[in-house]
């Protein structure tokens, strides 16, 4: 639960481009820091904390009611694993995950846990685990993928007429050090079936293959 709404909404400006009247929806663990750094990082001391706020809440605000947005999504299997290990880091201090000894036990219990894309209500675990499809809305005009990050960053540059931002390689990609293969090796058949069921709408909407 986010206790300070003003503080959270105050971070929207860090993901908003006034000139283009567009904001970036940072879906957790979908290369948001890399995208943010590419488009907004002009000084070394820039605050890179991005607003983990679903689009519907942003467009409910008078200032942004007509503002369009774009986002990046990720394969549900790797996103779930990446999110779990990120939330388990000591500095994150995620109390709700302490009762799980490992990733397997967490996934096995996932069907019994409640979570919502709404950051302002209490659930069994953080809203960061909510479905990606709930973070976008009718004003989302572009959806890139982490798996094609370089190509899709250049696509959004074309759409926004930001040719000077186009790149040939990702020099500042933020990584946690784990690859797709490493994450998939953590899954057994039961875990895969659970993810398939819970995140079914994400697989379908964003054209990811179920295993």
């Amino acid at each position: 639960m986010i206790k300070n709404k003003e503080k959270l909404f105050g971070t929207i400006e860090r993901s908003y481009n006034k000139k283009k009247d567009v904001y970036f929806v940072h879906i957790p663990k979908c290369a948001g820091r890399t995208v943010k750094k590419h488009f907004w990082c002009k000084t070394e001391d820039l605050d890179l904390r991005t607003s983990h706020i679903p689009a519907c809440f942003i467009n409910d605000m008078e200032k942004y009611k007509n503002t369009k947005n774009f986002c990046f999504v990720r394969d549900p299997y790797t996103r779930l694993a990446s999110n779990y290990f990120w939330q388990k880091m000591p500095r994150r201090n995620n109390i709700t995950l302490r009762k799980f000894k490992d990733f397997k036990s967490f996934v096995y219990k996932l069907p019994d846990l409640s979570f919502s894309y709404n950051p302002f209500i209490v659930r069994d675990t953080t809203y960061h685990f909510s479905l990606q499809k709930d973070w976008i809305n009718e004003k989302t005009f572009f959806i890139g993928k982490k798996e094609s990050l370089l190509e899709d960053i250049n696509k959004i540059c074309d759409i926004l007429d930001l040719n000077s931002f186009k790149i040939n390689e990702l020099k500042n990609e933020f990584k946690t050090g784990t690859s797709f293969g490493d994450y998939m090796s953590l899954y057994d058949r039961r875990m895969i079936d659970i993810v398939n069921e819970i995140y079914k709408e994400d697989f379908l909407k964003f054209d990811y293959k179920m295993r």
Side-chain angles (χ1 to χ4, degrees), residues 34-70:
T34 300
V35 175
K36 177 81 172 186
K37 194 169 186 177
H38 178 71
F39 284 104
W40 280 270
C41 187
K42 295 299 181 183
T43 60
E44 293 182 358
D45 59 349
L46 178 69
D47 190 338
L48 287 176
R49 291 174 296 171
T50 52
S51 50
H52 286 307
I53 307 177
C56 63
F57 294 104
I58 300 178
N59 286 119
D60 273 347
M61 302 173 68
E62 183 64 26
K63 180 177 180 180
Y64 304 106
K65 67 178 182 179
N66 296 315
T67 302
K68 58 190 177 182
N69 68 79
F70 69 96

Side-chain angles (χ1 to χ4, degrees), residues 42-203:
K42 295 299 181 183
T43 60
E44 293 182 358
D45 59 349
L46 178 69
D47 190 338
L48 287 176
R49 291 174 296 171
T50 52
S51 50
H52 286 307
I53 307 177
C56 63
F57 294 104
I58 300 178
N59 286 119
D60 273 347
M61 302 173 68
E62 183 64 26
K63 180 177 180 180
Y64 304 106
K65 67 178 182 179
N66 296 315
T67 302
K68 58 190 177 182
N69 68 79
F70 69 96
C71 72
F72 279 73
V73 295
R74 184 176 186 177
D75 179 278
Y77 302 116
T78 60
R79 176 176 176 257
L80 180 64
S82 177
N83 207 350
Y84 171 83
F85 289 107
W86 176 256
Q87 295 293 333
K88 287 282 282 189
M89 293 176 67
R91 67 186 181 89
R92 299 292 299 175
N93 194 30
N94 190 315
I95 299 176
T96 61
L97 295 185
R98 290 180 182 174
K99 57 185 176 182
F100 301 107
K101 65 177 182 178
D102 53 27
F103 181 57
K104 178 185 288 188
S105 62
F106 169 70
V107 176
Y108 280 2
K109 189 66 176 178
L110 203 56
D112 300 323
L113 298 178
S114 63
F115 49 84
S116 168
Y117 65 92
N118 189 336
F120 309 118
I121 60 177
V122 177
R123 286 291 183 263
D124 290 334
T125 190
T126 174
Y127 73 110
H128 286 210
F129 290 106
S130 60
L131 275 69
Q132 296 170 85
K133 61 99 178 174
D134 291 328
W135 288 73
I136 64 176
N137 64 2
E138 69 281 357
K139 294 192 180 299
T140 305
F141 68 94
F142 179 80
I143 300 173
K145 290 188 173 183
K146 186 182 185 302
E147 295 78 16
S148 52
L149 190 56
L150 176 61
E151 178 183 353
D152 288 343
I153 283 179
N154 286 332
K155 282 183 181 179
I156 190 65
C157 286
D158 284 334
I159 293 172
L160 295 176
D161 193 23
L162 295 171
N163 290 327
S164 62
F165 283 76
K166 295 181 75 170
I167 53 177
N168 296 317
E169 61 179 324
L170 290 170
K171 295 182 179 180
N172 297 312
E173 186 175 5
F174 179 80
K175 295 182 178 180
T176 56
T178 307
S179 68
F180 177 86
D182 292 332
Y183 280 138
M184 289 310 299
S185 68
L186 300 173
Y187 283 91
D188 60 24
R189 185 67 252 174
R190 179 183 169 188
M191 295 165 71
I192 289 174
D193 289 341
I194 289 172
V195 174
N196 289 347
E197 180 62 29
I198 292 178
Y199 295 100
K200 180 179 180 179
E201 291 180 88
D202 279 350
F203 282 104

